[in-house]
Amino acid sequence: MELNYVYAFKVVLVLLQIHSKGCCYDIFNSNKQFEDPILNSNTVCKNTPSLNREQMRLCKELPDVVASALQGMQYAVHECQAQFRYRRWNCSSLEMKNRNPMSNPLLKQGFRETAFVHAIASAGITSAVAKACSIGKLATCTCDQSMRGKGDGWQWGGCGDNMKYGAKFSARFLDSRETGRDIHSLMNLHNNLVGRKTVIENSKTKCKCHGMCGSCSVKTCWKTVPNFREVGDLLMEKYDFATLIRVNNRIRSSKVKLRPVRRKFRRSGFKGELVYFENSPDFCKPDNSLLIQGTEGRVCSRDSLDTDNCKSLCCSRPYGTKKLSVTKRCRCHFNWCCYVICDVCEETSVLNVCT
Protein backbone atom coordinates (compact mmCIF):
# COMPACT_ATOMS: atom_id res chain seq x y z
CA MET A 1 0.00 0.00 0.00
CA GLU A 2 1.39 3.37 -1.01
CA LEU A 3 1.00 5.40 2.17
CA ASN A 4 2.61 8.67 3.12
CA TYR A 5 3.89 7.29 6.40
CA VAL A 6 5.77 10.44 7.39
CA TYR A 7 2.62 12.53 7.33
CA ALA A 8 0.70 9.70 8.95
CA PHE A 9 2.97 9.68 11.94
CA LYS A 10 3.03 13.47 12.23
CA VAL A 11 -0.75 13.75 12.19
CA VAL A 12 -1.24 10.93 14.67
CA LEU A 13 1.21 12.65 16.99
CA VAL A 14 -0.63 15.93 16.53
CA LEU A 15 -3.89 14.16 17.35
CA LEU A 16 -2.63 12.21 20.30
CA GLN A 17 0.38 14.21 21.58
CA ILE A 18 1.72 11.09 23.25
CA HIS A 19 4.38 11.86 25.82
CA SER A 20 6.97 9.68 27.48
CA LYS A 21 8.82 10.98 30.53
CA GLY A 22 7.71 14.50 29.74
CA CYS A 23 8.87 14.60 26.11
CA CYS A 24 7.49 13.53 22.79
CA TYR A 25 9.20 10.72 20.91
CA ASP A 26 11.34 12.05 18.07
CA ILE A 27 11.09 9.03 15.84
CA PHE A 28 12.90 10.52 12.87
CA ASN A 29 16.03 11.43 14.85
CA SER A 30 16.30 8.48 17.15
CA ASN A 31 17.28 4.83 16.87
CA LYS A 32 15.72 3.90 20.20
CA GLN A 33 13.19 1.12 20.50
CA PHE A 34 9.80 2.46 21.52
CA GLU A 35 7.45 1.21 24.16
CA ASP A 36 3.70 1.05 23.65
CA PRO A 37 2.27 4.54 24.28
CA ILE A 38 0.22 5.34 27.34
CA LEU A 39 -3.35 5.72 26.09
CA ASN A 40 -5.68 7.46 28.53
CA SER A 41 -8.06 10.40 28.48
CA ASN A 42 -5.21 12.86 29.01
CA THR A 43 -2.97 11.62 26.21
CA VAL A 44 -5.76 11.00 23.71
CA CYS A 45 -8.85 13.12 24.32
CA LYS A 46 -7.46 16.48 25.39
CA ASN A 47 -5.14 16.68 22.39
CA THR A 48 -7.51 15.47 19.69
CA PRO A 49 -9.07 18.46 17.88
CA SER A 50 -12.72 18.91 16.95
CA LEU A 51 -14.34 16.12 18.95
CA ASN A 52 -18.02 16.70 19.62
CA ARG A 53 -19.66 15.98 22.98
CA GLU A 54 -20.48 12.33 22.24
CA GLN A 55 -17.04 11.66 20.78
CA MET A 56 -15.40 13.24 23.83
CA ARG A 57 -17.55 11.07 26.09
CA LEU A 58 -16.50 7.99 24.14
CA CYS A 59 -12.89 9.08 24.30
CA LYS A 60 -12.95 9.46 28.08
CA GLU A 61 -14.68 6.10 28.44
CA LEU A 62 -12.63 4.18 25.84
CA PRO A 63 -9.42 6.10 25.06
CA ASP A 64 -7.61 3.06 23.68
CA VAL A 65 -10.44 2.34 21.22
CA VAL A 66 -10.57 5.99 20.14
CA ALA A 67 -6.79 5.88 19.58
CA SER A 68 -7.31 2.94 17.21
CA ALA A 69 -10.17 4.83 15.54
CA LEU A 70 -7.89 7.84 14.98
CA GLN A 71 -5.28 5.58 13.45
CA GLY A 72 -8.00 4.16 11.21
CA MET A 73 -8.87 7.68 10.10
CA GLN A 74 -5.22 8.18 9.14
CA TYR A 75 -5.28 4.96 7.13
CA ALA A 76 -8.34 6.42 5.42
CA VAL A 77 -6.64 9.74 4.63
CA HIS A 78 -3.62 7.96 3.14
CA GLU A 79 -5.81 5.67 1.08
CA CYS A 80 -7.78 8.69 -0.12
CA GLN A 81 -4.52 10.30 -1.21
CA ALA A 82 -3.48 7.12 -3.02
CA GLN A 83 -6.82 6.78 -4.81
CA PHE A 84 -7.00 10.46 -5.83
CA ARG A 85 -3.30 10.97 -6.60
CA TYR A 86 -4.05 11.54 -10.30
CA ARG A 87 -7.16 13.68 -9.73
CA ARG A 88 -7.41 17.46 -9.51
CA TRP A 89 -8.53 17.15 -5.89
CA ASN A 90 -6.06 14.80 -4.22
CA CYS A 91 -7.16 14.70 -0.55
CA SER A 92 -4.06 16.62 0.57
CA SER A 93 -6.16 19.19 2.43
CA LEU A 94 -7.45 16.44 4.75
CA GLU A 95 -4.02 16.21 6.32
CA MET A 96 -3.23 19.54 7.95
CA LYS A 97 -1.61 20.40 11.26
CA ASN A 98 -3.94 20.60 14.26
CA ARG A 99 -7.01 19.71 12.20
CA ASN A 100 -9.35 16.77 12.44
CA PRO A 101 -9.80 15.44 8.86
CA MET A 102 -13.57 15.28 9.35
CA SER A 103 -13.73 19.01 10.15
CA ASN A 104 -12.49 19.97 6.67
CA PRO A 105 -14.86 22.62 5.21
CA LEU A 106 -15.14 20.68 1.96
CA LEU A 107 -17.02 18.00 3.88
CA LYS A 108 -19.78 20.47 4.67
CA GLN A 109 -20.74 20.32 1.00
CA GLY A 110 -22.76 17.65 -0.78
CA PHE A 111 -20.02 16.66 -3.24
CA ARG A 112 -18.99 13.20 -4.45
CA GLU A 113 -15.70 13.81 -2.65
CA THR A 114 -17.57 14.30 0.61
CA ALA A 115 -19.28 10.96 0.05
CA PHE A 116 -15.99 9.17 -0.54
CA VAL A 117 -14.25 10.68 2.50
CA HIS A 118 -17.08 9.70 4.84
CA ALA A 119 -17.15 6.16 3.48
CA ILE A 120 -13.37 5.64 3.59
CA ALA A 121 -13.13 7.13 7.10
CA SER A 122 -15.90 4.85 8.34
CA ALA A 123 -14.20 1.87 6.71
CA GLY A 124 -10.82 2.86 8.17
CA ILE A 125 -12.17 3.03 11.71
CA THR A 126 -13.99 -0.29 11.29
CA SER A 127 -10.83 -2.00 10.03
CA ALA A 128 -8.43 -0.52 12.57
CA VAL A 129 -10.63 -1.25 15.60
CA ALA A 130 -11.48 -4.77 14.38
CA LYS A 131 -7.81 -5.59 13.93
CA ALA A 132 -6.82 -4.02 17.28
CA CYS A 133 -9.38 -6.28 18.98
CA SER A 134 -7.93 -9.43 17.47
CA ILE A 135 -4.32 -8.63 18.37
CA GLY A 136 -5.27 -7.99 21.99
CA LYS A 137 -4.59 -4.25 22.16
CA LEU A 138 -8.02 -3.21 23.45
CA ALA A 139 -9.51 -3.90 26.87
CA THR A 140 -13.15 -3.99 25.78
CA CYS A 141 -13.01 -6.51 22.94
CA THR A 142 -11.25 -9.68 21.88
CA CYS A 143 -11.20 -11.94 18.84
CA ASP A 144 -14.38 -12.65 16.92
CA GLN A 145 -15.24 -16.25 17.74
CA SER A 146 -18.81 -16.12 16.54
CA MET A 147 -18.14 -18.41 13.57
CA ARG A 148 -19.02 -21.97 14.54
CA GLY A 149 -19.13 -25.30 12.75
CA LYS A 150 -16.93 -27.37 10.48
CA GLY A 151 -16.79 -28.93 7.07
CA ASP A 152 -14.85 -31.59 5.21
CA GLY A 153 -11.28 -31.11 6.44
CA TRP A 154 -11.78 -27.70 8.02
CA GLN A 155 -13.34 -26.03 11.04
CA TRP A 156 -13.98 -22.51 12.26
CA GLY A 157 -11.63 -21.37 15.00
CA GLY A 158 -8.58 -19.20 15.48
CA CYS A 159 -8.76 -15.49 16.24
CA GLY A 160 -10.89 -13.55 13.80
CA ASP A 161 -10.89 -9.77 13.43
CA ASN A 162 -13.81 -8.39 15.41
CA MET A 163 -15.58 -6.57 12.57
CA LYS A 164 -18.88 -6.47 14.43
CA TYR A 165 -17.30 -4.49 17.26
CA GLY A 166 -15.32 -2.35 14.81
CA ALA A 167 -18.40 -1.45 12.78
CA LYS A 168 -20.45 -0.72 15.91
CA PHE A 169 -17.79 1.61 17.29
CA SER A 170 -17.29 3.27 13.91
CA ALA A 171 -21.01 4.03 13.80
CA ARG A 172 -21.02 5.43 17.34
CA PHE A 173 -17.96 7.56 16.71
CA LEU A 174 -18.69 8.98 13.24
CA ASP A 175 -22.48 9.00 13.14
CA SER A 176 -22.58 11.11 16.30
CA ARG A 177 -21.41 14.06 14.17
CA GLU A 178 -24.71 13.97 12.26
CA THR A 179 -27.31 15.45 14.56
CA GLY A 180 -29.65 16.98 11.99
CA ARG A 181 -32.42 15.55 9.81
CA ASP A 182 -31.42 17.52 6.72
CA ILE A 183 -30.31 16.05 3.39
CA HIS A 184 -26.62 16.54 4.22
CA SER A 185 -26.78 14.60 7.49
CA LEU A 186 -28.73 11.78 5.85
CA MET A 187 -26.19 11.67 3.02
CA ASN A 188 -23.30 11.38 5.48
CA LEU A 189 -25.03 8.68 7.53
CA HIS A 190 -25.74 6.71 4.36
CA ASN A 191 -22.14 6.93 3.15
CA ASN A 192 -20.78 6.05 6.60
CA LEU A 193 -22.85 2.86 6.44
CA VAL A 194 -21.57 2.07 2.95
CA GLY A 195 -18.00 2.26 4.25
CA ARG A 196 -18.68 -0.14 7.12
CA LYS A 197 -20.54 -2.58 4.90
CA THR A 198 -17.73 -2.55 2.33
CA VAL A 199 -15.33 -3.84 4.98
CA ILE A 200 -17.69 -6.50 6.35
CA GLU A 201 -19.01 -7.75 3.01
CA ASN A 202 -15.50 -8.17 1.63
CA SER A 203 -13.97 -9.89 4.65
CA LYS A 204 -11.48 -12.65 3.93
CA THR A 205 -11.12 -16.18 5.22
CA LYS A 206 -7.69 -17.26 6.42
CA CYS A 207 -6.80 -20.81 7.37
CA LYS A 208 -4.00 -22.62 9.16
CA CYS A 209 -3.12 -26.22 8.46
CA HIS A 210 -2.79 -28.91 11.11
CA GLY A 211 -1.56 -32.46 10.69
CA MET A 212 1.31 -34.88 11.06
CA CYS A 213 4.59 -34.14 9.24
CA GLY A 214 3.34 -30.93 7.67
CA SER A 215 0.21 -32.44 6.17
CA CYS A 216 -2.97 -30.40 5.97
CA SER A 217 -5.45 -32.99 7.16
CA VAL A 218 -7.41 -30.36 9.09
CA LYS A 219 -7.59 -26.59 8.61
CA THR A 220 -8.64 -24.03 11.20
CA CYS A 221 -10.17 -20.95 9.56
CA TRP A 222 -11.18 -17.46 10.70
CA LYS A 223 -12.37 -14.16 9.24
CA THR A 224 -10.14 -11.09 8.72
CA VAL A 225 -10.70 -7.58 7.43
CA PRO A 226 -9.81 -7.14 3.73
CA ASN A 227 -6.63 -5.42 2.64
CA PHE A 228 -7.37 -1.71 2.88
CA ARG A 229 -6.24 -1.08 -0.70
CA GLU A 230 -9.05 -3.38 -1.81
CA VAL A 231 -11.49 -1.36 0.29
CA GLY A 232 -10.18 1.83 -1.31
CA ASP A 233 -10.52 0.38 -4.82
CA LEU A 234 -14.10 -0.69 -4.16
CA LEU A 235 -15.10 2.68 -2.73
CA MET A 236 -13.36 4.48 -5.59
CA GLU A 237 -15.49 2.52 -8.03
CA LYS A 238 -18.55 3.54 -6.03
CA TYR A 239 -17.30 7.16 -6.18
CA ASP A 240 -17.11 7.06 -9.98
CA PHE A 241 -20.68 5.72 -10.18
CA ALA A 242 -22.15 7.61 -7.21
CA THR A 243 -25.88 8.33 -7.18
CA LEU A 244 -27.17 11.89 -7.34
CA ILE A 245 -29.97 12.35 -4.81
CA ARG A 246 -32.79 14.85 -4.62
CA VAL A 247 -32.82 17.81 -2.25
CA ASN A 248 -36.29 17.89 -0.73
CA ASN A 249 -36.98 21.25 0.93
CA ARG A 250 -40.61 20.43 1.67
CA ILE A 251 -40.53 18.09 4.63
CA ARG A 252 -44.04 16.75 5.31
CA SER A 253 -43.09 14.21 7.96
CA SER A 254 -40.57 13.77 10.74
CA LYS A 255 -38.65 11.25 8.63
CA VAL A 256 -36.80 12.52 5.57
CA LYS A 257 -35.93 10.00 2.86
CA LEU A 258 -33.18 10.08 0.28
CA ARG A 259 -34.52 9.98 -3.25
CA PRO A 260 -32.34 9.44 -6.34
CA VAL A 261 -32.78 11.93 -9.17
CA ARG A 262 -32.72 9.27 -11.91
CA ARG A 263 -35.74 7.00 -12.00
CA LYS A 264 -33.86 3.76 -12.71
CA PHE A 265 -32.33 3.84 -9.22
CA ARG A 266 -35.74 4.12 -7.55
CA ARG A 267 -36.57 0.55 -8.52
CA SER A 268 -33.19 -1.11 -8.03
CA GLY A 269 -32.29 0.75 -4.84
CA PHE A 270 -29.00 2.38 -3.93
CA LYS A 271 -28.30 1.15 -0.40
CA GLY A 272 -24.82 -0.04 -1.32
CA GLU A 273 -23.89 3.03 -3.39
CA LEU A 274 -22.33 6.34 -2.46
CA VAL A 275 -24.72 9.27 -2.75
CA TYR A 276 -24.28 13.02 -3.22
CA PHE A 277 -26.59 15.96 -3.90
CA GLU A 278 -24.30 18.72 -5.20
CA ASN A 279 -22.07 18.83 -8.26
CA SER A 280 -18.39 19.26 -7.49
CA PRO A 281 -16.35 22.27 -8.66
CA ASP A 282 -13.60 21.67 -11.22
CA PHE A 283 -10.88 22.07 -8.52
CA CYS A 284 -8.66 23.91 -11.02
CA LYS A 285 -8.20 27.10 -9.00
CA PRO A 286 -7.60 27.62 -5.28
CA ASP A 287 -10.60 28.24 -3.04
CA ASN A 288 -9.50 29.01 0.50
CA SER A 289 -13.00 28.76 1.87
CA LEU A 290 -13.04 25.05 0.99
CA LEU A 291 -9.29 24.48 1.36
CA ILE A 292 -9.08 23.68 -2.36
CA GLN A 293 -5.47 24.15 -3.43
CA GLY A 294 -5.93 24.11 -7.20
CA THR A 295 -3.60 22.22 -9.55
CA GLU A 296 -0.72 24.67 -9.90
CA GLY A 297 2.52 22.86 -9.06
CA ARG A 298 1.01 19.39 -9.55
CA VAL A 299 3.07 16.81 -11.42
CA CYS A 300 1.43 15.56 -14.64
CA SER A 301 2.19 13.15 -17.48
CA ARG A 302 2.19 14.25 -21.12
CA ASP A 303 1.48 10.80 -22.54
CA SER A 304 -0.89 9.42 -19.92
CA LEU A 305 -4.42 8.41 -20.85
CA ASP A 306 -5.43 8.63 -17.20
CA THR A 307 -6.59 11.64 -15.19
CA ASP A 308 -2.95 12.73 -14.61
CA ASN A 309 -2.68 13.76 -18.29
CA CYS A 310 -1.19 17.25 -18.37
CA LYS A 311 -4.05 18.74 -20.37
CA SER A 312 -6.62 17.42 -17.91
CA LEU A 313 -4.73 17.88 -14.65
CA CYS A 314 -3.48 21.37 -15.57
CA CYS A 315 -6.97 22.39 -16.72
CA SER A 316 -5.63 23.25 -20.22
CA ARG A 317 -3.06 25.63 -18.70
CA PRO A 318 0.63 25.41 -19.73
CA TYR A 319 3.03 23.12 -17.91
CA GLY A 320 6.78 23.21 -17.46
CA THR A 321 9.59 20.69 -16.99
CA LYS A 322 11.71 20.43 -13.86
CA LYS A 323 14.59 18.19 -12.86
CA LEU A 324 14.36 17.37 -9.20
CA SER A 325 16.41 15.41 -6.73
CA VAL A 326 14.01 14.21 -4.09
CA THR A 327 14.88 12.83 -0.66
CA LYS A 328 12.01 10.95 0.87
CA ARG A 329 11.13 8.39 3.47
CA CYS A 330 10.78 4.87 2.13
CA ARG A 331 10.28 1.28 3.27
CA CYS A 332 8.13 2.52 6.14
CA HIS A 333 6.19 0.38 8.55
CA PHE A 334 3.83 1.11 11.41
CA ASN A 335 4.22 -0.14 14.93
CA TRP A 336 0.99 -0.21 16.92
CA CYS A 337 -0.40 2.24 17.82
CA CYS A 338 1.38 5.36 16.75
CA TYR A 339 4.94 4.85 15.57
CA VAL A 340 6.43 4.60 12.13
CA ILE A 341 10.00 3.78 11.17
CA CYS A 342 11.38 4.67 7.73
CA ASP A 343 14.57 4.52 5.67
CA VAL A 344 15.74 7.52 3.61
CA CYS A 345 15.90 7.22 -0.21
CA GLU A 346 17.03 9.71 -2.86
CA GLU A 347 15.67 9.83 -6.40
CA THR A 348 16.34 12.13 -9.38
CA SER A 349 13.43 12.69 -11.75
CA VAL A 350 12.44 14.86 -14.69
CA LEU A 351 8.90 16.03 -14.06
CA ASN A 352 6.17 17.89 -15.90
CA VAL A 353 4.60 20.44 -13.58
CA CYS A 354 1.39 22.45 -14.01
CA THR A 355 1.94 26.23 -14.05
Side-chain angles (χ1 to χ4, degrees), residues 56-164:
M56 183 61 72
R57 188 189 69 78
L58 276 175
C59 192
K60 291 179 179 179
E61 178 186 348
L62 304 167
D64 55 341
V65 188
V66 170
S68 292
L70 295 175
Q71 189 176 26
M73 288 176 64
Q74 287 309 307
Y75 290 157
V77 170
H78 299 143
E79 184 58 30
C80 183
Q81 291 172 342
Q83 294 291 339
F84 282 81
R85 63 191 181 278
Y86 298 144
R87 308 267 179 152
R88 292 174 181 173
W89 183 78
N90 62 359
C91 303
S92 58
S93 62
L94 297 179
E95 196 166 58
M96 300 187 73
K97 186 176 181 180
N98 294 327
R99 292 190 72 98
N100 184 326
M102 303 310 293
S103 65
N104 188 292
L106 185 81
L107 303 186
K108 295 180 180 179
Q109 311 302 313
F111 301 153
R112 285 175 185 254
E113 291 73 20
T114 306
F116 181 88
V117 171
H118 272 268
I120 198 73
S122 180
I125 293 174
T126 300
S127 295
V129 173
K131 181 63 70 175
C133 289
S134 66
I135 63 176
K137 291 295 184 179
L138 304 181
T140 54
C141 62
T142 57
C143 307
D144 178 14
Q145 298 178 330
S146 62
M147 305 297 291
R148 294 286 186 269
K150 59 184 179 179
D152 186 14
W154 66 272
Q155 61 185 8
W156 289 113
C159 184
D161 293 339
N162 200 331
M163 285 171 275
K164 182 177 180 180

Side-chain angles (χ1 to χ4, degrees), residues 153-253:
W154 66 272
Q155 61 185 8
W156 289 113
C159 184
D161 293 339
N162 200 331
M163 285 171 275
K164 182 177 180 180
Y165 185 93
K168 183 178 179 180
F169 188 85
S170 178
R172 290 180 66 189
F173 191 76
L174 275 189
D175 290 1
S176 66
R177 300 181 69 91
E178 312 303 329
T179 57
R181 293 182 299 178
D182 58 287
I183 191 74
H184 192 268
S185 292
L186 292 177
M187 166 189 153
N188 291 342
L189 289 172
H190 174 94
N191 294 322
N192 288 350
L193 177 60
V194 170
R196 298 191 296 271
K197 290 177 65 175
T198 300
V199 173
I200 294 172
E201 292 175 357
N202 293 278
S203 62
K204 305 300 179 185
T205 300
K206 288 189 176 181
C207 298
K208 182 178 180 180
C209 286
H210 307 277
M212 298 294 291
C213 302
S215 67
C216 196
S217 56
V218 178
K219 291 191 294 186
T220 299
C221 302
W222 61 92
K223 289 288 186 178
T224 69
V225 295
N227 183 285
F228 206 59
R229 175 51 45 86
E230 180 183 347
V231 174
D233 290 342
L234 290 168
L235 290 177
M236 196 65 189
E237 183 177 355
K238 293 178 184 293
Y239 165 86
D240 287 330
F241 295 96
T243 301
L244 179 64
I245 54 176
R246 185 185 302 276
V247 180
N248 184 4
N249 292 324
R250 293 186 296 177
I251 303 175
R252 297 182 180 179
S253 66

Side-chain angles (χ1 to χ4, degrees), residues 16 45 73 87 180 183 267 349:
L16 300 182
C45 312
M73 288 176 64
R87 308 267 179 152
I183 191 74
R267 296 179 180 178
S349 305

